[in-house]
Amino acid sequence: FEGAGDILIGTGSIFKLLDVKNKYNSKIDFHKFEFKLNRKQEPNKAEYDEFVNSIEDILKKVNGKTLIVIWKDFKAEHLSEIQNDKYTKKLEDRLFQDGFVSSFAVTYYGASDTKSCNNYRDYENIILAGKWGLVTSVTQKLKHAFLCKSTCMENYMMWYYVQLLLRIGIRNNSKGQFHVYYSSDHKQTFMDRLNIYLNNNIFISTSISVSKPLWEVIICGYKKGSYYLKDIEKLADRDP
């Protein structure tokens, strides 16, 4: 039982995929926000304050609870490689100090509560603060466990991000509207793939080209979509 098995396994495995066609029935709105932090450089006070302000601006305008996902630590060369979650605690303390009491929770990418848990199923919003990716050692383990043959690294990221986004109320499958706020350092076409998957129940199995119109990508995700694409283009030319 793998919630995003259609992404992870696909057709390149000896396992037979028993899929659910219409997995999600919620409306998920995606919003990009400016983000200037770099994980390889620990921010100074001014940079960190600017980051906190951007998070607080979002918290002020949303309704319901919000899950905030940040990096576990920074990877600057002069910093030790001690793995800890001091940055989640630092953000929590700052938000409490600024008057945000019970409307949010903070976790980090890769944490155990970003997959296979129900802790945040009553949350309506999620903030993705900083792009993140799986390291090769993790994808190799996934390939070995699920006998995957996909060479598209972005698909393994898709699998993780879908798991992450489904921690909030989307997983309840009880309709409703939810909001995903993602930092501007995320690849836009990757976020488009997530949008199409969650809102249209279509998994685009390869990375999207920036030059290809999004409506074409969606149509090609349907059975025989590519076959009828030229006819649809002709119709659209006659009547946009």
Side-chain angles (χ1 to χ4, degrees):
F1 292 93
E2 168 52 51
D6 54 325
I7 299 173
L8 191 59
I9 298 172
T11 57
S13 170
I14 64 168
F15 294 112
K16 181 180 180 180
L17 180 66
L18 302 179
D19 204 4
V20 178
K21 185 176 181 181
N22 296 313
K23 301 177 185 62
Y24 314 110
N25 61 15
S26 302
K27 174 71 172 68
I28 301 105
D29 291 325
F30 285 76
H31 315 271
K32 181 163 64 175
F33 68 96
E34 287 303 311
F35 184 84
K36 298 178 181 178
L37 298 189
N38 186 325
R39 196 180 181 191
K40 294 183 179 179
Q41 180 178 344
E42 189 169 18
N44 58 38
K45 185 180 184 305
E47 291 168 335
Y48 189 76
D49 286 348
E50 184 179 2
F51 159 66
V52 173
N53 289 337
S54 68
I55 298 298
E56 292 184 348
D57 285 344
I58 295 172
L59 292 177
K60 288 175 184 175
K61 65 185 177 184
V62 299
N63 295 314
K65 294 182 179 179
T66 302
L67 177 61
I68 305 167
V69 190
I70 62 176
W71 296 316
K72 185 176 184 178
D73 49 25
F74 288 84
K75 298 295 185 181
E77 293 181 2
H78 67 282
L79 299 177
S80 66
E81 290 297 318
I82 297 174
Q83 295 292 305
N84 58 64
D85 58 354
K86 65 178 181 179
Y87 291 101
T88 58
K89 182 69 166 59
K90 181 178 179 180
L91 181 58
E92 283 179 349
D93 290 346
R94 176 67 176 274
L95 293 175
F96 279 131
Q97 177 186 322
D98 292 348
F100 298 89
V101 183
S102 59
S103 60
F104 72 93
V106 183
T107 188
Y108 60 87
Y109 291 106
S112 59
D113 62 353
T114 61
K115 49 190 180 294
S116 304
C117 88
N118 291 316
N119 298 3
Y120 310 111
R121 68 185 310 159
D122 60 336
Y123 283 55
E124 297 176 33
N125 319 289
I126 185 169
I127 300 174
L128 308 176
K131 68 177 182 179
W132 194 74
L134 298 172
V135 295
T136 304
S137 60
V138 173
T139 58
Q140 289 300 326
K141 288 179 181 178
L142 290 171
K143 287 181 180 182
H144 179 73
F146 291 94
L147 303 180
C148 310
K149 296 181 180 179
S150 175
T151 58
C152 179
M153 182 64 183
E154 194 173 283
N155 283 349
Y156 295 100
M157 284 178 56
M158 270 281 290
W159 167 78
Y160 174 77
Y161 269 72
V162 167
Q163 290 278 16
L164 173 60
L165 297 182
L166 291 181
R167 293 316 99 207
I168 65 172
I170 303 167
R171 69 182 291 98
N172 298 327
N173 215 37
S174 54
K175 298 186 178 181
Q177 187 168 10
F178 300 88
H179 297 273
V180 177
Y181 292 85
Y182 62 96
S183 54
S184 56
D185 57 339
H186 280 88
K187 184 180 175 184
Q188 185 57 51
T189 51
F190 175 68
M191 301 310 297
D192 288 340
R193 289 181 72 197
L194 283 172
N195 191 334
I196 293 169
Y197 181 77
L198 293 173
N199 281 304
N200 301 88
N201 284 284
I202 298 173
F203 172 49
I204 307 299
S205 60
T206 57
S207 300
I208 297 174
S209 170
V210 177
S211 60
K212 180 178 281 191
L214 199 52
W215 70 270
E216 283 191 20
V217 175
I218 295 175
I219 286 175
C220 290
Y222 285 102
K223 186 177 181 180
K224 292 191 175 182
S226 298
Y227 178 80
Y228 289 112
L229 184 62
K230 288 186 178 180
D231 292 331
I232 294 170
E233 285 177 331
K234 289 177 182 178
L235 288 171
D237 287 339
R238 292 174 65 91
D239 185 354

PDB file of all heavy atoms in Angstrom, residues 174-191:
ATOM      1  N   SER A 174     -12.458  15.009   1.314  1.00  0.00           N
ATOM      2  CA  SER A 174     -13.800  15.508   1.631  1.00  0.00           C
ATOM      3  C   SER A 174     -14.040  16.862   0.973  1.00  0.00           C
ATOM      4  O   SER A 174     -14.648  17.756   1.547  1.00  0.00           O
ATOM      5  CB  SER A 174     -13.971  15.625   3.145  1.00  0.00           C
ATOM      6  OG  SER A 174     -12.939  16.420   3.714  1.00  0.00           O
ATOM      7  N   LYS A 175     -13.477  17.001  -0.227  1.00  0.00           N
ATOM      8  CA  LYS A 175     -13.586  18.232  -1.015  1.00  0.00           C
ATOM      9  C   LYS A 175     -12.950  19.391  -0.251  1.00  0.00           C
ATOM     10  O   LYS A 175     -11.965  19.217   0.432  1.00  0.00           O
ATOM     11  CB  LYS A 175     -15.029  18.495  -1.419  1.00  0.00           C
ATOM     12  CG  LYS A 175     -15.604  17.381  -2.300  1.00  0.00           C
ATOM     13  CD  LYS A 175     -16.982  17.718  -2.809  1.00  0.00           C
ATOM     14  CE  LYS A 175     -17.483  16.599  -3.730  1.00  0.00           C
ATOM     15  NZ  LYS A 175     -18.819  16.885  -4.269  1.00  0.00           N
ATOM     16  N   GLY A 176     -13.501  20.585  -0.359  1.00  0.00           N
ATOM     17  CA  GLY A 176     -12.898  21.722   0.328  1.00  0.00           C
ATOM     18  C   GLY A 176     -11.810  22.372  -0.512  1.00  0.00           C
ATOM     19  O   GLY A 176     -11.412  21.869  -1.565  1.00  0.00           O
ATOM     20  N   GLN A 177     -11.305  23.505  -0.015  1.00  0.00           N
ATOM     21  CA  GLN A 177     -10.267  24.270  -0.705  1.00  0.00           C
ATOM     22  C   GLN A 177      -9.040  24.382   0.183  1.00  0.00           C
ATOM     23  O   GLN A 177      -9.144  24.693   1.369  1.00  0.00           O
ATOM     24  CB  GLN A 177     -10.782  25.664  -1.074  1.00  0.00           C
ATOM     25  CG  GLN A 177      -9.830  26.458  -1.948  1.00  0.00           C
ATOM     26  CD  GLN A 177     -10.479  27.705  -2.530  1.00  0.00           C
ATOM     27  OE1 GLN A 177     -11.590  28.083  -2.141  1.00  0.00           O
ATOM     28  NE2 GLN A 177      -9.815  28.355  -3.461  1.00  0.00           N
ATOM     29  N   PHE A 178      -7.870  24.170  -0.422  1.00  0.00           N
ATOM     30  CA  PHE A 178      -6.611  24.196   0.318  1.00  0.00           C
ATOM     31  C   PHE A 178      -5.602  25.064  -0.430  1.00  0.00           C
ATOM     32  O   PHE A 178      -5.739  25.299  -1.632  1.00  0.00           O
ATOM     33  CB  PHE A 178      -6.081  22.774   0.509  1.00  0.00           C
ATOM     34  CG  PHE A 178      -7.030  21.889   1.270  1.00  0.00           C
ATOM     35  CD1 PHE A 178      -8.013  21.166   0.610  1.00  0.00           C
ATOM     36  CD2 PHE A 178      -6.976  21.816   2.650  1.00  0.00           C
ATOM     37  CE1 PHE A 178      -8.915  20.376   1.311  1.00  0.00           C
ATOM     38  CE2 PHE A 178      -7.866  21.027   3.364  1.00  0.00           C
ATOM     39  CZ  PHE A 178      -8.845  20.302   2.688  1.00  0.00           C
ATOM     40  N   HIS A 179      -4.594  25.522   0.303  1.00  0.00           N
ATOM     41  CA  HIS A 179      -3.640  26.448  -0.279  1.00  0.00           C
ATOM     42  C   HIS A 179      -2.209  25.952  -0.056  1.00  0.00           C
ATOM     43  O   HIS A 179      -1.838  25.585   1.062  1.00  0.00           O
ATOM     44  CB  HIS A 179      -3.810  27.840   0.322  1.00  0.00           C
ATOM     45  CG  HIS A 179      -5.146  28.450   0.033  1.00  0.00           C
ATOM     46  ND1 HIS A 179      -5.395  29.178  -1.109  1.00  0.00           N
ATOM     47  CD2 HIS A 179      -6.320  28.414   0.725  1.00  0.00           C
ATOM     48  CE1 HIS A 179      -6.650  29.581  -1.114  1.00  0.00           C
ATOM     49  NE2 HIS A 179      -7.241  29.125  -0.009  1.00  0.00           N
ATOM     50  N   VAL A 180      -1.435  25.966  -1.147  1.00  0.00           N
ATOM     51  CA  VAL A 180      -0.014  25.624  -1.107  1.00  0.00           C
ATOM     52  C   VAL A 180       0.783  26.875  -1.445  1.00  0.00           C
ATOM     53  O   VAL A 180       0.640  27.426  -2.540  1.00  0.00           O
ATOM     54  CB  VAL A 180       0.328  24.505  -2.114  1.00  0.00           C
ATOM     55  CG1 VAL A 180       1.836  24.227  -2.109  1.00  0.00           C
ATOM     56  CG2 VAL A 180      -0.458  23.236  -1.800  1.00  0.00           C
ATOM     57  N   TYR A 181       1.598  27.333  -0.514  1.00  0.00           N
ATOM     58  CA  TYR A 181       2.485  28.479  -0.739  1.00  0.00           C
ATOM     59  C   TYR A 181       3.892  27.936  -0.919  1.00  0.00           C
ATOM     60  O   TYR A 181       4.422  27.263  -0.033  1.00  0.00           O
ATOM     61  CB  TYR A 181       2.421  29.450   0.443  1.00  0.00           C
ATOM     62  CG  TYR A 181       1.088  30.151   0.567  1.00  0.00           C
ATOM     63  CD1 TYR A 181       0.027  29.536   1.240  1.00  0.00           C
ATOM     64  CD2 TYR A 181       0.883  31.401   0.003  1.00  0.00           C
ATOM     65  CE1 TYR A 181      -1.213  30.159   1.339  1.00  0.00           C
ATOM     66  CE2 TYR A 181      -0.357  32.036   0.098  1.00  0.00           C
ATOM     67  CZ  TYR A 181      -1.399  31.411   0.764  1.00  0.00           C
ATOM     68  OH  TYR A 181      -2.620  32.029   0.858  1.00  0.00           O
ATOM     69  N   TYR A 182       4.485  28.208  -2.078  1.00  0.00           N
ATOM     70  CA  TYR A 182       5.809  27.653  -2.359  1.00  0.00           C
ATOM     71  C   TYR A 182       6.802  28.770  -2.662  1.00  0.00           C
ATOM     72  O   TYR A 182       6.476  29.765  -3.305  1.00  0.00           O
ATOM     73  CB  TYR A 182       5.752  26.648  -3.512  1.00  0.00           C
ATOM     74  CG  TYR A 182       5.313  27.212  -4.839  1.00  0.00           C
ATOM     75  CD1 TYR A 182       6.245  27.612  -5.798  1.00  0.00           C
ATOM     76  CD2 TYR A 182       3.960  27.339  -5.152  1.00  0.00           C
ATOM     77  CE1 TYR A 182       5.847  28.125  -7.021  1.00  0.00           C
ATOM     78  CE2 TYR A 182       3.550  27.846  -6.371  1.00  0.00           C
ATOM     79  CZ  TYR A 182       4.498  28.239  -7.294  1.00  0.00           C
ATOM     80  OH  TYR A 182       4.100  28.758  -8.505  1.00  0.00           O
ATOM     81  N   SER A 183       8.022  28.599  -2.184  1.00  0.00           N
ATOM     82  CA  SER A 183       9.058  29.620  -2.347  1.00  0.00           C
ATOM     83  C   SER A 183       9.504  29.707  -3.796  1.00  0.00           C
ATOM     84  O   SER A 183       9.448  28.731  -4.553  1.00  0.00           O
ATOM     85  CB  SER A 183      10.246  29.319  -1.437  1.00  0.00           C
ATOM     86  OG  SER A 183      10.724  28.007  -1.642  1.00  0.00           O
ATOM     87  N   SER A 184       9.956  30.890  -4.174  1.00  0.00           N
ATOM     88  CA  SER A 184      10.274  31.192  -5.567  1.00  0.00           C
ATOM     89  C   SER A 184      11.487  30.437  -6.103  1.00  0.00           C
ATOM     90  O   SER A 184      11.744  30.468  -7.306  1.00  0.00           O
ATOM     91  CB  SER A 184      10.494  32.703  -5.735  1.00  0.00           C
ATOM     92  OG  SER A 184      11.494  33.164  -4.846  1.00  0.00           O
ATOM     93  N   ASP A 185      12.250  29.756  -5.229  1.00  0.00           N
ATOM     94  CA  ASP A 185      13.398  28.990  -5.726  1.00  0.00           C
ATOM     95  C   ASP A 185      12.989  27.619  -6.265  1.00  0.00           C
ATOM     96  O   ASP A 185      13.818  26.907  -6.827  1.00  0.00           O
ATOM     97  CB  ASP A 185      14.468  28.837  -4.633  1.00  0.00           C
ATOM     98  CG  ASP A 185      13.942  28.178  -3.364  1.00  0.00           C
ATOM     99  OD1 ASP A 185      12.711  28.188  -3.149  1.00  0.00           O
ATOM    100  OD2 ASP A 185      14.752  27.674  -2.573  1.00  0.00           O
ATOM    101  N   HIS A 186      11.725  27.243  -6.112  1.00  0.00           N
ATOM    102  CA  HIS A 186      11.245  25.987  -6.697  1.00  0.00           C
ATOM    103  C   HIS A 186      11.135  26.131  -8.218  1.00  0.00           C
ATOM    104  O   HIS A 186      10.773  27.189  -8.719  1.00  0.00           O
ATOM    105  CB  HIS A 186       9.879  25.606  -6.137  1.00  0.00           C
ATOM    106  CG  HIS A 186       9.926  24.967  -4.787  1.00  0.00           C
ATOM    107  ND1 HIS A 186       9.901  25.693  -3.612  1.00  0.00           N
ATOM    108  CD2 HIS A 186       9.993  23.666  -4.418  1.00  0.00           C
ATOM    109  CE1 HIS A 186       9.954  24.866  -2.583  1.00  0.00           C
ATOM    110  NE2 HIS A 186      10.013  23.635  -3.050  1.00  0.00           N
ATOM    111  N   LYS A 187      11.411  25.066  -8.911  1.00  0.00           N
ATOM    112  CA  LYS A 187      11.271  25.035 -10.365  1.00  0.00           C
ATOM    113  C   LYS A 187       9.782  25.123 -10.716  1.00  0.00           C
ATOM    114  O   LYS A 187       8.976  24.290 -10.258  1.00  0.00           O
ATOM    115  CB  LYS A 187      11.880  23.729 -10.902  1.00  0.00           C
ATOM    116  CG  LYS A 187      11.887  23.600 -12.410  1.00  0.00           C
ATOM    117  CD  LYS A 187      12.522  22.265 -12.785  1.00  0.00           C
ATOM    118  CE  LYS A 187      12.448  22.023 -14.288  1.00  0.00           C
ATOM    119  NZ  LYS A 187      12.983  20.673 -14.639  1.00  0.00           N
ATOM    120  N   GLN A 188       9.412  26.102 -11.533  1.00  0.00           N
ATOM    121  CA  GLN A 188       8.004  26.348 -11.802  1.00  0.00           C
ATOM    122  C   GLN A 188       7.329  25.173 -12.504  1.00  0.00           C
ATOM    123  O   GLN A 188       6.185  24.817 -12.186  1.00  0.00           O
ATOM    124  CB  GLN A 188       7.836  27.616 -12.640  1.00  0.00           C
ATOM    125  CG  GLN A 188       6.388  28.026 -12.871  1.00  0.00           C
ATOM    126  CD  GLN A 188       5.626  28.245 -11.568  1.00  0.00           C
ATOM    127  OE1 GLN A 188       6.090  28.964 -10.691  1.00  0.00           O
ATOM    128  NE2 GLN A 188       4.461  27.612 -11.434  1.00  0.00           N
ATOM    129  N   THR A 189       8.018  24.562 -13.451  1.00  0.00           N
ATOM    130  CA  THR A 189       7.400  23.447 -14.176  1.00  0.00           C
ATOM    131  C   THR A 189       7.172  22.248 -13.254  1.00  0.00           C
ATOM    132  O   THR A 189       6.248  21.465 -13.462  1.00  0.00           O
ATOM    133  CB  THR A 189       8.260  23.027 -15.377  1.00  0.00           C
ATOM    134  OG1 THR A 189       9.615  22.815 -14.948  1.00  0.00           O
ATOM    135  CG2 THR A 189       8.242  24.093 -16.461  1.00  0.00           C
ATOM    136  N   PHE A 190       8.000  22.101 -12.229  1.00  0.00           N
ATOM    137  CA  PHE A 190       7.798  21.041 -11.235  1.00  0.00           C
ATOM    138  C   PHE A 190       6.523  21.305 -10.433  1.00  0.00           C
ATOM    139  O   PHE A 190       5.714  20.397 -10.209  1.00  0.00           O
ATOM    140  CB  PHE A 190       9.013  20.961 -10.306  1.00  0.00           C
ATOM    141  CG  PHE A 190       8.850  19.985  -9.170  1.00  0.00           C
ATOM    142  CD1 PHE A 190       8.799  18.624  -9.409  1.00  0.00           C
ATOM    143  CD2 PHE A 190       8.746  20.436  -7.858  1.00  0.00           C
ATOM    144  CE1 PHE A 190       8.640  17.715  -8.354  1.00  0.00           C
ATOM    145  CE2 PHE A 190       8.589  19.547  -6.811  1.00  0.00           C
ATOM    146  CZ  PHE A 190       8.542  18.182  -7.053  1.00  0.00           C
ATOM    147  N   MET A 191       6.343  22.568 -10.046  1.00  0.00           N
ATOM    148  CA  MET A 191       5.128  22.923  -9.306  1.00  0.00           C
ATOM    149  C   MET A 191       3.895  22.774 -10.194  1.00  0.00           C
ATOM    150  O   MET A 191       2.816  22.407  -9.725  1.00  0.00           O
ATOM    151  CB  MET A 191       5.237  24.349  -8.770  1.00  0.00           C
ATOM    152  CG  MET A 191       6.406  24.599  -7.830  1.00  0.00           C
ATOM    153  SD  MET A 191       6.554  23.393  -6.466  1.00  0.00           S
ATOM    154  CE  MET A 191       5.019  23.663  -5.579  1.00  0.00           C
TER     155      MET A 191
END
